[in-house]
Amino acid sequence: MKRTLAILGIMSLSACAPPVADLYLQVTTQPQLIAQTEKDAVSRAEPKSMKEGFFPRYHEISAQSPIIQRDGYLSNYEVFKANFEAGQNIMMFVASQCDCLGFDKRVLVPDISFLDEKGEPENATVEGVSLGLNFFVTLRTNIERDGNYYLLVGANNASVGKEAPNKNATAPLYSGQSASLSTSTTPNPFGEVSVTYFIDD
């Protein structure tokens, strides 16, 4: 009996979750200016500290986050900041946490840009992508100049509401690169992400 009640409780919570398309509508109807460039996006944000090492802190990306125009969709985003020195080899890790309450499992698919202190794109290579219930992206870069650097992490809303259970999906991630992955979750415009980095000596 207790098991039956628990299952019914989970199902009821899943049923109460708003449709993903409705959540994206909250993004598109926000009464705020939409950044047209990444430089503009950085200037509109309040950068959060990029954490070095383990034990990441998660930050929410929501309808109240700033918004940037991407190719064919709007992306709500947050910006993370760190100071690096010339010659450092940096590994960055972006983790997006699954909203896994009930049977309707959702995850924010991250849209990532690595930028210099002027908001201009910097080179970085995607070294790994994995998706179970959570989404992880690993990037590596060599720093050419001392200064502040930014990682713009937004919601890739290109496929919002399109479920891909047990099928291969192609996720555009960073600088035109993409990754084929198997997913049983639904891309979500909202979620919690963490950004950490390591200096590879």
Side-chain angles (χ1 to χ4, degrees):
M1 180 65 178
K2 290 182 179 179
R3 182 180 298 176
T4 301
L5 290 175
I7 293 173
L8 289 174
I10 292 173
M11 291 178 67
S12 66
L13 287 171
S14 300
C16 292
V20 173
D22 289 354
L23 298 180
Y24 180 56
L25 185 62
Q26 294 180 35
V27 175
T28 61
T29 56
Q30 281 297 306
Q32 60 172 288
L33 294 176
I34 297 171
Q36 299 297 318
T37 66
E38 291 165 336
K39 183 176 182 179
D40 190 23
V42 170
S43 69
R44 294 177 186 275
E46 297 181 7
K48 298 169 172 56
S49 295
M50 203 185 302
K51 188 177 183 302
E52 182 176 7
F54 297 102
F55 307 109
R57 178 184 175 187
Y58 279 84
H59 299 270
E60 185 177 14
I61 294 180
S62 69
Q64 283 68 51
S65 298
I67 298 171
I68 183 172
Q69 178 69 58
R70 292 301 196 186
D71 186 14
Y73 64 93
L74 297 179
S75 173
N76 42 321
Y77 68 92
E78 296 292 343
V79 172
F80 298 84
K81 175 182 175 182
N83 186 273
F84 297 134
E85 297 178 0
Q88 289 180 326
N89 293 311
I90 306 295
M91 289 189 69
M92 294 170 284
F93 299 89
V94 179
S96 178
Q97 200 167 43
C98 174
D99 180 0
C100 287
L101 188 61
F103 296 111
D104 182 13
K105 302 187 186 306
R106 304 176 178 183
V107 67
L108 181 147
V109 178
D111 181 286
I112 303 169
S113 299
F114 183 56
L115 310 167
D116 66 14
E117 60 186 355
K118 297 180 180 179
E120 299 294 335
E122 284 284 315
N123 290 327
T125 302
V126 176
E127 290 209 333
V129 179
S130 63
L131 175 65
L133 293 178
N134 299 314
F135 203 116
F136 300 95
V137 182
T138 304
L139 303 101
R140 183 186 288 273
T141 187
N142 177 263
I143 301 300
E144 296 182 355
R145 300 175 300 280
D146 294 354
N148 291 322
Y149 289 83
Y150 301 97
L151 203 65
L152 189 157
V153 181
N156 186 324
N157 292 322
S159 300
V160 159
K162 298 178 182 178
E163 297 184 26
N166 302 318
K167 295 181 180 178
N168 289 327
T170 299
L173 292 169
Y174 171 82
S175 297
Q177 300 183 47
S178 63
S180 294
L181 47 91
S182 180
T183 173
S184 58
T185 53
T186 302
N188 200 39
F190 304 156
E192 292 186 341
V193 300
S194 70
V195 176
T196 55
Y197 72 90
F198 292 85
I199 300 173
D200 186 3
D201 296 326

